[in-house]
Amino acid sequence: MRKLALVTGTTHGIGRVTARELAMADHDVVMLCRDLEAAAHVRNQLAIAAPKAAIHVVACDLASFASVREAASTVRHDFGRLDLLINNAGIAPSRHRMSEDGFELCFATNHLGPFLLTALLLERMAAAGRIINVASRIHNRGSLNLERIANPAARFIPMAAYAQSKLANVLHTFALARRLLGTGVTANCLHPGVVATNLLPRWLRAIRPILRPDLIDEERGAKTTLHLAMSDTVACVSGKYFDEHQVARTAAPAANGVALQEALWDVSERWTGLRDDARRIPDNVPTAAD
Ligand SMILES: NC(=O)c1ccc[n+]([C@@H]2O[C@H](COP(=O)([O-])OP(=O)(O)OC[C@H]3O[C@@H](n4cnc5c(N)ncnc54)[C@H](OP(=O)(O)O)[C@@H]3O)[C@@H](O)[C@H]2O)c1
């Protein structure tokens, strides 16, 4: 039977390969993308690579709460149970910008948008659904500075902002897995490797030859996501962080702090408006399939 996978950020890089491989492995795919022209181009490519798969595009700018809400509403209305929710999209901006909702753009795109999307789609997960957050090894260098995130005048250090957002991905995953215990739905996160994609800052791309053999292509960069999405060996594994070799690793000490996980959950619920939302995550998440 075909499964249904939702993947964010499939216009380029790791997400594009992830969507293609899932489509070729008996999944119908919902691509959540902000660039609809690029998404249509990728959809055409996937239709050729996987003619049996139904490939859908839903517009979504993860940096906008309104856009995420609209996309989640479309998904809930138009599609059945999700077997996979893959929060892949991400940015690593080199300059300070604020989202339309008033949050630092990297944090808004990489954490707050996916947090809201996941919360709004949780009740649509199939009984043995898998939620996968594409984090990064750089979360090891991250620390949360919540006051700066909502401060347009805060000092901006690109690498620190990106590391903070990726630490948030791991904290989110672990807090989510705790809430999902006993439901059958799993939540895991991963480091894909250092992958030669558009995400890499220009200066890092310029020293590509030096980085070899550490730098991998996007085909290899999608391997851990695909492993977590499809391997039977991780069907019951939840609340783990995997490296680029598909091995579960201990995440950074900061990511394992339950108090920090809960503090981030709390502030994310308030900032995204989930606190006042009828669709706020219930304590016991219903997962029965239709
Ligand atoms: N590359 C690496 O070395 C590396 C290492 C560790 C972790 N990661 C993580 O891997 C994930 C995928 O990154 P990648 O390397 O494949 O980068 P990429 O090639 O730049 O792809 C990023 C994708 O995210 C989408 N995206 C960006 N902002 C968005 C928004 N506001 N709303 C919706 N979609 C948005 C992009 O869409 P557009 O076409 O609209 O820009 C693109 O499809 C990210 O979470 C990244 O943090 C990457």
Side-chain angles (χ1 to χ4, degrees):
M1 208 178 81
R2 299 196 70 79
K3 292 187 169 184
L4 184 62
L6 186 152
V7 189
T8 68
T10 59
T11 46
H12 300 105
I14 298 165
R16 180 170 55 184
V17 174
T18 301
R20 187 197 67 212
E21 291 300 306
L22 290 172
M24 290 171 70
D26 289 335
H27 288 76
D28 293 329
V29 179
V30 181
M31 311 197 308
L32 248 67
C33 301
R34 61 178 173 175
D35 180 344
L36 295 183
E37 203 177 314
H41 181 63
V42 172
R43 183 176 53 191
N44 292 343
Q45 291 177 335
L46 298 197
I48 294 166
K52 286 189 190 151
I55 313 289
H56 310 272
V57 175
V58 172
C60 182
D61 179 354
L62 286 160
S64 155
F65 296 157
S67 177
V68 171
R69 285 177 180 278
E70 202 174 324
S73 165
T74 303
V75 171
R76 285 198 303 263
H77 184 265
D78 290 358
F79 305 106
R81 296 276 165 188
L82 295 172
D83 296 286
L84 296 171
L85 167 56
I86 303 181
N87 289 309
N88 163 81
I91 55 169
S94 53
R95 64 186 179 87
H96 195 193
R97 278 183 294 161
M98 300 296 276
S99 74
E100 67 180 33
D101 303 296
F103 300 100
E104 188 279 312
L105 193 67
C106 186
F107 195 79
T109 307
N110 294 2
H111 168 66
L112 291 173
F115 178 90
L116 178 60
L117 181 72
T118 304
L120 295 174
L121 294 180
L122 209 50
E123 64 176 14
R124 302 302 301 163
M125 294 304 295
R130 303 182 188 191
I131 299 170
I132 298 162
N133 290 337
V134 182
S136 169
R137 184 170 61 203
I138 208 167
H139 83 273
N140 280 289
R141 300 223 207 136
S143 60
L144 274 195
N145 191 328
L146 295 173
E147 275 165 31
R148 284 192 181 179
I149 290 164
N151 177 2
R155 187 161 164 248
F156 184 75
I157 304 167
M159 200 48 87
Y162 180 65
Q164 171 175 252
S165 75
K166 294 287 125 180
L167 173 61
N169 291 160
V170 184
L171 291 163
H172 173 217
T173 306
F174 291 171
L176 179 61
R178 199 160 45 246
R179 283 162 173 78
L180 291 170
L181 257 181
T183 66
V185 178
T186 62
N188 291 293
C189 59
L190 67 118
H191 169 64
V194 183
V195 191
T197 66
N198 295 343
L199 184 104
L200 289 191
R202 219 168 265 158
W203 63 266
L204 200 57
R205 267 184 266 166
I207 57 163
R208 242 182 222 194
I210 301 168
L211 283 174
R212 277 191 199 124
D214 283 346
L215 202 60
I216 58 176
D217 66 16
E218 52 201 34
E219 301 291 329
R220 277 178 65 197
K223 281 213 177 319
T224 306
T225 303
L226 291 165
H227 174 75
L228 291 178
M230 294 194 284
S231 171
D232 290 340
T233 61
V234 288
C236 299
V237 175
S238 193
K240 300 284 184 202
Y241 164 73
F242 288 77
D243 71 8
E244 70 271 40
H245 305 295
Q246 298 86 57
V247 177
R249 297 277 180 204
T250 304
N256 284 301
V258 173
L260 194 61
Q261 293 164 12
E262 291 304 317
L264 178 65
W265 189 280
D266 182 68
V267 80
S268 303
E269 271 196 342
R270 281 192 278 120
W271 282 352
T272 56
L274 277 166
R275 269 289 160 77
D276 319 313
D277 197 319
R279 287 197 172 276
R280 159 163 198 232
I281 297 179
D283 289 337
N284 290 312
V285 183
T287 58
D290 278 337

PDB file of all heavy atoms in Angstrom, residues 111-140:
ATOM      1  N   HIS A 111      12.999  26.861  13.223  1.00  0.00           N
ATOM      2  CA  HIS A 111      12.343  26.247  14.386  1.00  0.00           C
ATOM      3  C   HIS A 111      10.862  26.614  14.533  1.00  0.00           C
ATOM      4  O   HIS A 111      10.012  25.718  14.589  1.00  0.00           O
ATOM      5  CB  HIS A 111      13.071  26.597  15.692  1.00  0.00           C
ATOM      6  CG  HIS A 111      12.255  26.210  16.894  1.00  0.00           C
ATOM      7  ND1 HIS A 111      11.964  24.882  17.195  1.00  0.00           N
ATOM      8  CD2 HIS A 111      11.583  26.955  17.821  1.00  0.00           C
ATOM      9  CE1 HIS A 111      11.187  24.834  18.273  1.00  0.00           C
ATOM     10  NE2 HIS A 111      10.938  26.066  18.656  1.00  0.00           N
ATOM     11  N   LEU A 112      10.539  27.923  14.593  1.00  0.00           N
ATOM     12  CA  LEU A 112       9.151  28.275  14.946  1.00  0.00           C
ATOM     13  C   LEU A 112       8.149  27.789  13.895  1.00  0.00           C
ATOM     14  O   LEU A 112       7.093  27.242  14.252  1.00  0.00           O
ATOM     15  CB  LEU A 112       9.025  29.794  15.148  1.00  0.00           C
ATOM     16  CG  LEU A 112       9.735  30.343  16.388  1.00  0.00           C
ATOM     17  CD1 LEU A 112       9.684  31.876  16.402  1.00  0.00           C
ATOM     18  CD2 LEU A 112       9.112  29.795  17.678  1.00  0.00           C
ATOM     19  N   GLY A 113       8.476  27.955  12.617  1.00  0.00           N
ATOM     20  CA  GLY A 113       7.575  27.476  11.556  1.00  0.00           C
ATOM     21  C   GLY A 113       7.362  25.968  11.630  1.00  0.00           C
ATOM     22  O   GLY A 113       6.221  25.489  11.680  1.00  0.00           O
ATOM     23  N   PRO A 114       8.452  25.181  11.651  1.00  0.00           N
ATOM     24  CA  PRO A 114       8.286  23.721  11.765  1.00  0.00           C
ATOM     25  C   PRO A 114       7.603  23.290  13.065  1.00  0.00           C
ATOM     26  O   PRO A 114       6.841  22.309  13.067  1.00  0.00           O
ATOM     27  CB  PRO A 114       9.743  23.215  11.724  1.00  0.00           C
ATOM     28  CG  PRO A 114      10.484  24.271  10.980  1.00  0.00           C
ATOM     29  CD  PRO A 114       9.833  25.568  11.327  1.00  0.00           C
ATOM     30  N   PHE A 115       7.849  24.006  14.154  1.00  0.00           N
ATOM     31  CA  PHE A 115       7.183  23.688  15.427  1.00  0.00           C
ATOM     32  C   PHE A 115       5.671  23.832  15.267  1.00  0.00           C
ATOM     33  O   PHE A 115       4.886  22.953  15.652  1.00  0.00           O
ATOM     34  CB  PHE A 115       7.701  24.613  16.538  1.00  0.00           C
ATOM     35  CG  PHE A 115       7.040  24.387  17.878  1.00  0.00           C
ATOM     36  CD1 PHE A 115       7.579  23.482  18.785  1.00  0.00           C
ATOM     37  CD2 PHE A 115       5.885  25.077  18.236  1.00  0.00           C
ATOM     38  CE1 PHE A 115       6.967  23.257  20.026  1.00  0.00           C
ATOM     39  CE2 PHE A 115       5.265  24.858  19.460  1.00  0.00           C
ATOM     40  CZ  PHE A 115       5.806  23.948  20.362  1.00  0.00           C
ATOM     41  N   LEU A 116       5.264  24.971  14.673  1.00  0.00           N
ATOM     42  CA  LEU A 116       3.833  25.226  14.475  1.00  0.00           C
ATOM     43  C   LEU A 116       3.225  24.208  13.509  1.00  0.00           C
ATOM     44  O   LEU A 116       2.156  23.639  13.771  1.00  0.00           O
ATOM     45  CB  LEU A 116       3.649  26.657  13.936  1.00  0.00           C
ATOM     46  CG  LEU A 116       2.225  27.105  13.627  1.00  0.00           C
ATOM     47  CD1 LEU A 116       1.337  27.060  14.871  1.00  0.00           C
ATOM     48  CD2 LEU A 116       2.219  28.525  13.040  1.00  0.00           C
ATOM     49  N   LEU A 117       3.926  23.966  12.419  1.00  0.00           N
ATOM     50  CA  LEU A 117       3.427  23.006  11.414  1.00  0.00           C
ATOM     51  C   LEU A 117       3.220  21.625  12.052  1.00  0.00           C
ATOM     52  O   LEU A 117       2.176  20.981  11.863  1.00  0.00           O
ATOM     53  CB  LEU A 117       4.442  22.899  10.271  1.00  0.00           C
ATOM     54  CG  LEU A 117       4.060  21.948   9.142  1.00  0.00           C
ATOM     55  CD1 LEU A 117       2.925  22.543   8.296  1.00  0.00           C
ATOM     56  CD2 LEU A 117       5.264  21.637   8.242  1.00  0.00           C
ATOM     57  N   THR A 118       4.209  21.191  12.809  1.00  0.00           N
ATOM     58  CA  THR A 118       4.134  19.863  13.443  1.00  0.00           C
ATOM     59  C   THR A 118       2.950  19.798  14.398  1.00  0.00           C
ATOM     60  O   THR A 118       2.196  18.811  14.401  1.00  0.00           O
ATOM     61  CB  THR A 118       5.454  19.575  14.199  1.00  0.00           C
ATOM     62  OG1 THR A 118       6.539  19.696  13.280  1.00  0.00           O
ATOM     63  CG2 THR A 118       5.455  18.181  14.800  1.00  0.00           C
ATOM     64  N   ALA A 119       2.788  20.834  15.193  1.00  0.00           N
ATOM     65  CA  ALA A 119       1.677  20.849  16.157  1.00  0.00           C
ATOM     66  C   ALA A 119       0.325  20.781  15.441  1.00  0.00           C
ATOM     67  O   ALA A 119      -0.580  20.044  15.861  1.00  0.00           O
ATOM     68  CB  ALA A 119       1.750  22.112  17.008  1.00  0.00           C
ATOM     69  N   LEU A 120       0.221  21.516  14.340  1.00  0.00           N
ATOM     70  CA  LEU A 120      -1.063  21.583  13.632  1.00  0.00           C
ATOM     71  C   LEU A 120      -1.375  20.303  12.852  1.00  0.00           C
ATOM     72  O   LEU A 120      -2.518  20.046  12.506  1.00  0.00           O
ATOM     73  CB  LEU A 120      -1.080  22.792  12.687  1.00  0.00           C
ATOM     74  CG  LEU A 120      -1.012  24.159  13.382  1.00  0.00           C
ATOM     75  CD1 LEU A 120      -0.894  25.274  12.358  1.00  0.00           C
ATOM     76  CD2 LEU A 120      -2.238  24.384  14.275  1.00  0.00           C
ATOM     77  N   LEU A 121      -0.323  19.517  12.569  1.00  0.00           N
ATOM     78  CA  LEU A 121      -0.540  18.282  11.795  1.00  0.00           C
ATOM     79  C   LEU A 121      -0.470  17.022  12.647  1.00  0.00           C
ATOM     80  O   LEU A 121      -0.687  15.919  12.129  1.00  0.00           O
ATOM     81  CB  LEU A 121       0.473  18.193  10.643  1.00  0.00           C
ATOM     82  CG  LEU A 121       0.317  19.264   9.556  1.00  0.00           C
ATOM     83  CD1 LEU A 121       1.374  19.081   8.481  1.00  0.00           C
ATOM     84  CD2 LEU A 121      -1.090  19.211   8.937  1.00  0.00           C
ATOM     85  N   LEU A 122      -0.201  17.178  13.922  1.00  0.00           N
ATOM     86  CA  LEU A 122       0.032  15.998  14.768  1.00  0.00           C
ATOM     87  C   LEU A 122      -1.154  15.043  14.765  1.00  0.00           C
ATOM     88  O   LEU A 122      -0.997  13.827  14.692  1.00  0.00           O
ATOM     89  CB  LEU A 122       0.342  16.472  16.194  1.00  0.00           C
ATOM     90  CG  LEU A 122       1.235  15.577  17.033  1.00  0.00           C
ATOM     91  CD1 LEU A 122       2.489  15.185  16.286  1.00  0.00           C
ATOM     92  CD2 LEU A 122       1.590  16.289  18.324  1.00  0.00           C
ATOM     93  N   GLU A 123      -2.341  15.612  14.808  1.00  0.00           N
ATOM     94  CA  GLU A 123      -3.531  14.751  14.842  1.00  0.00           C
ATOM     95  C   GLU A 123      -3.775  14.043  13.502  1.00  0.00           C
ATOM     96  O   GLU A 123      -4.609  13.154  13.409  1.00  0.00           O
ATOM     97  CB  GLU A 123      -4.756  15.565  15.247  1.00  0.00           C
ATOM     98  CG  GLU A 123      -5.097  16.639  14.233  1.00  0.00           C
ATOM     99  CD  GLU A 123      -6.371  17.397  14.589  1.00  0.00           C
ATOM    100  OE1 GLU A 123      -6.839  17.290  15.718  1.00  0.00           O
ATOM    101  OE2 GLU A 123      -6.874  18.098  13.685  1.00  0.00           O
ATOM    102  N   ARG A 124      -3.034  14.471  12.458  1.00  0.00           N
ATOM    103  CA  ARG A 124      -3.181  13.820  11.156  1.00  0.00           C
ATOM    104  C   ARG A 124      -2.162  12.704  10.938  1.00  0.00           C
ATOM    105  O   ARG A 124      -2.129  12.094   9.870  1.00  0.00           O
ATOM    106  CB  ARG A 124      -3.001  14.850  10.014  1.00  0.00           C
ATOM    107  CG  ARG A 124      -3.967  16.016  10.054  1.00  0.00           C
ATOM    108  CD  ARG A 124      -5.410  15.578  10.015  1.00  0.00           C
ATOM    109  NE  ARG A 124      -5.710  14.810   8.819  1.00  0.00           N
ATOM    110  CZ  ARG A 124      -6.780  14.042   8.663  1.00  0.00           C
ATOM    111  NH1 ARG A 124      -7.654  13.917   9.660  1.00  0.00           N
ATOM    112  NH2 ARG A 124      -6.987  13.383   7.539  1.00  0.00           N
ATOM    113  N   MET A 125      -1.298  12.473  11.940  1.00  0.00           N
ATOM    114  CA  MET A 125      -0.283  11.420  11.768  1.00  0.00           C
ATOM    115  C   MET A 125      -0.944  10.046  11.845  1.00  0.00           C
ATOM    116  O   MET A 125      -1.840   9.809  12.661  1.00  0.00           O
ATOM    117  CB  MET A 125       0.797  11.518  12.849  1.00  0.00           C
ATOM    118  CG  MET A 125       1.672  12.767  12.797  1.00  0.00           C
ATOM    119  SD  MET A 125       2.525  13.051  11.231  1.00  0.00           S
ATOM    120  CE  MET A 125       3.638  11.641  11.162  1.00  0.00           C
ATOM    121  N   ALA A 126      -0.470   9.138  10.995  1.00  0.00           N
ATOM    122  CA  ALA A 126      -0.962   7.764  11.015  1.00  0.00           C
ATOM    123  C   ALA A 126      -0.474   7.075  12.294  1.00  0.00           C
ATOM    124  O   ALA A 126       0.431   7.566  12.976  1.00  0.00           O
ATOM    125  CB  ALA A 126      -0.436   7.025   9.784  1.00  0.00           C
ATOM    126  N   ALA A 127      -1.076   5.916  12.566  1.00  0.00           N
ATOM    127  CA  ALA A 127      -0.804   5.228  13.835  1.00  0.00           C
ATOM    128  C   ALA A 127       0.683   4.976  14.074  1.00  0.00           C
ATOM    129  O   ALA A 127       1.164   5.102  15.188  1.00  0.00           O
ATOM    130  CB  ALA A 127      -1.577   3.919  13.867  1.00  0.00           C
ATOM    131  N   ALA A 128       1.416   4.597  13.027  1.00  0.00           N
ATOM    132  CA  ALA A 128       2.858   4.359  13.196  1.00  0.00           C
ATOM    133  C   ALA A 128       3.654   5.426  12.448  1.00  0.00           C
ATOM    134  O   ALA A 128       4.702   5.151  11.864  1.00  0.00           O
ATOM    135  CB  ALA A 128       3.230   2.967  12.705  1.00  0.00           C
ATOM    136  N   GLY A 129       3.140   6.639  12.461  1.00  0.00           N
ATOM    137  CA  GLY A 129       3.773   7.725  11.715  1.00  0.00           C
ATOM    138  C   GLY A 129       5.144   8.090  12.282  1.00  0.00           C
ATOM    139  O   GLY A 129       5.445   7.809  13.446  1.00  0.00           O
ATOM    140  N   ARG A 130       5.938   8.714  11.425  1.00  0.00           N
ATOM    141  CA  ARG A 130       7.291   9.114  11.838  1.00  0.00           C
ATOM    142  C   ARG A 130       7.481  10.603  11.560  1.00  0.00           C
ATOM    143  O   ARG A 130       7.206  11.060  10.445  1.00  0.00           O
ATOM    144  CB  ARG A 130       8.358   8.323  11.075  1.00  0.00           C
ATOM    145  CG  ARG A 130       8.226   6.814  11.221  1.00  0.00           C
ATOM    146  CD  ARG A 130       9.342   6.083  10.470  1.00  0.00           C
ATOM    147  NE  ARG A 130       9.121   4.641  10.457  1.00  0.00           N
ATOM    148  CZ  ARG A 130      10.023   3.745  10.063  1.00  0.00           C
ATOM    149  NH1 ARG A 130      11.212   4.138   9.635  1.00  0.00           N
ATOM    150  NH2 ARG A 130       9.755   2.455  10.081  1.00  0.00           N
ATOM    151  N   ILE A 131       7.940  11.308  12.575  1.00  0.00           N
ATOM    152  CA  ILE A 131       8.275  12.727  12.402  1.00  0.00           C
ATOM    153  C   ILE A 131       9.796  12.844  12.439  1.00  0.00           C
ATOM    154  O   ILE A 131      10.448  12.305  13.343  1.00  0.00           O
ATOM    155  CB  ILE A 131       7.627  13.577  13.516  1.00  0.00           C
ATOM    156  CG1 ILE A 131       6.101  13.448  13.451  1.00  0.00           C
ATOM    157  CG2 ILE A 131       8.068  15.038  13.403  1.00  0.00           C
ATOM    158  CD1 ILE A 131       5.357  14.037  14.628  1.00  0.00           C
ATOM    159  N   ILE A 132      10.336  13.508  11.437  1.00  0.00           N
ATOM    160  CA  ILE A 132      11.800  13.587  11.296  1.00  0.00           C
ATOM    161  C   ILE A 132      12.203  15.051  11.158  1.00  0.00           C
ATOM    162  O   ILE A 132      11.715  15.756  10.267  1.00  0.00           O
ATOM    163  CB  ILE A 132      12.251  12.780  10.052  1.00  0.00           C
ATOM    164  CG1 ILE A 132      11.872  11.302  10.238  1.00  0.00           C
ATOM    165  CG2 ILE A 132      13.747  12.925   9.829  1.00  0.00           C
ATOM    166  CD1 ILE A 132      11.859  10.502   8.957  1.00  0.00           C
ATOM    167  N   ASN A 133      13.071  15.492  12.049  1.00  0.00           N
ATOM    168  CA  ASN A 133      13.562  16.870  11.992  1.00  0.00           C
ATOM    169  C   ASN A 133      15.011  16.872  11.525  1.00  0.00           C
ATOM    170  O   ASN A 133      15.870  16.238  12.159  1.00  0.00           O
ATOM    171  CB  ASN A 133      13.472  17.527  13.376  1.00  0.00           C
ATOM    172  CG  ASN A 133      12.031  17.792  13.791  1.00  0.00           C
ATOM    173  OD1 ASN A 133      11.136  17.895  12.952  1.00  0.00           O
ATOM    174  ND2 ASN A 133      11.793  17.901  15.082  1.00  0.00           N
ATOM    175  N   VAL A 134      15.268  17.571  10.434  1.00  0.00           N
ATOM    176  CA  VAL A 134      16.646  17.662   9.937  1.00  0.00           C
ATOM    177  C   VAL A 134      17.353  18.759  10.734  1.00  0.00           C
ATOM    178  O   VAL A 134      17.133  19.952  10.511  1.00  0.00           O
ATOM    179  CB  VAL A 134      16.690  17.935   8.429  1.00  0.00           C
ATOM    180  CG1 VAL A 134      18.147  17.974   7.950  1.00  0.00           C
ATOM    181  CG2 VAL A 134      15.919  16.842   7.668  1.00  0.00           C
ATOM    182  N   ALA A 135      18.159  18.321  11.684  1.00  0.00           N
ATOM    183  CA  ALA A 135      18.909  19.254  12.537  1.00  0.00           C
ATOM    184  C   ALA A 135      20.318  19.383  11.974  1.00  0.00           C
ATOM    185  O   ALA A 135      20.500  19.390  10.749  1.00  0.00           O
ATOM    186  CB  ALA A 135      18.912  18.731  13.976  1.00  0.00           C
ATOM    187  N   SER A 136      21.320  19.449  12.835  1.00  0.00           N
ATOM    188  CA  SER A 136      22.706  19.516  12.373  1.00  0.00           C
ATOM    189  C   SER A 136      23.635  19.259  13.546  1.00  0.00           C
ATOM    190  O   SER A 136      23.295  19.566  14.697  1.00  0.00           O
ATOM    191  CB  SER A 136      22.995  20.903  11.793  1.00  0.00           C
ATOM    192  OG  SER A 136      24.385  21.043  11.581  1.00  0.00           O
ATOM    193  N   ARG A 137      24.822  18.763  13.204  1.00  0.00           N
ATOM    194  CA  ARG A 137      25.853  18.566  14.227  1.00  0.00           C
ATOM    195  C   ARG A 137      26.232  19.890  14.888  1.00  0.00           C
ATOM    196  O   ARG A 137      26.683  19.931  16.029  1.00  0.00           O
ATOM    197  CB  ARG A 137      27.080  17.953  13.549  1.00  0.00           C
ATOM    198  CG  ARG A 137      28.212  17.589  14.461  1.00  0.00           C
ATOM    199  CD  ARG A 137      29.238  16.789  13.713  1.00  0.00           C
ATOM    200  NE  ARG A 137      29.818  17.536  12.603  1.00  0.00           N
ATOM    201  CZ  ARG A 137      30.392  16.982  11.546  1.00  0.00           C
ATOM    202  NH1 ARG A 137      30.476  15.676  11.420  1.00  0.00           N
ATOM    203  NH2 ARG A 137      30.908  17.723  10.585  1.00  0.00           N
ATOM    204  N   ILE A 138      25.995  20.978  14.166  1.00  0.00           N
ATOM    205  CA  ILE A 138      26.374  22.292  14.696  1.00  0.00           C
ATOM    206  C   ILE A 138      25.532  22.675  15.919  1.00  0.00           C
ATOM    207  O   ILE A 138      25.850  23.641  16.612  1.00  0.00           O
ATOM    208  CB  ILE A 138      26.288  23.366  13.590  1.00  0.00           C
ATOM    209  CG1 ILE A 138      27.279  24.478  13.881  1.00  0.00           C
ATOM    210  CG2 ILE A 138      24.889  23.917  13.446  1.00  0.00           C
ATOM    211  CD1 ILE A 138      27.504  25.419  12.746  1.00  0.00           C
ATOM    212  N   HIS A 139      24.506  21.886  16.209  1.00  0.00           N
ATOM    213  CA  HIS A 139      23.723  22.177  17.427  1.00  0.00           C
ATOM    214  C   HIS A 139      24.616  22.108  18.658  1.00  0.00           C
ATOM    215  O   HIS A 139      24.328  22.713  19.679  1.00  0.00           O
ATOM    216  CB  HIS A 139      22.530  21.206  17.559  1.00  0.00           C
ATOM    217  CG  HIS A 139      22.878  19.895  18.180  1.00  0.00           C
ATOM    218  ND1 HIS A 139      23.351  18.814  17.459  1.00  0.00           N
ATOM    219  CD2 HIS A 139      22.857  19.476  19.469  1.00  0.00           C
ATOM    220  CE1 HIS A 139      23.594  17.794  18.276  1.00  0.00           C
ATOM    221  NE2 HIS A 139      23.299  18.164  19.499  1.00  0.00           N
ATOM    222  N   ASN A 140      25.735  21.355  18.533  1.00  0.00           N
ATOM    223  CA  ASN A 140      26.709  21.266  19.623  1.00  0.00           C
ATOM    224  C   ASN A 140      27.260  22.628  20.015  1.00  0.00           C
ATOM    225  O   ASN A 140      27.679  22.832  21.138  1.00  0.00           O
ATOM    226  CB  ASN A 140      27.901  20.391  19.186  1.00  0.00           C
ATOM    227  CG  ASN A 140      27.581  18.922  19.308  1.00  0.00           C
ATOM    228  OD1 ASN A 140      27.486  18.408  20.414  1.00  0.00           O
ATOM    229  ND2 ASN A 140      27.389  18.253  18.177  1.00  0.00           N
TER     230      ASN A 140
END
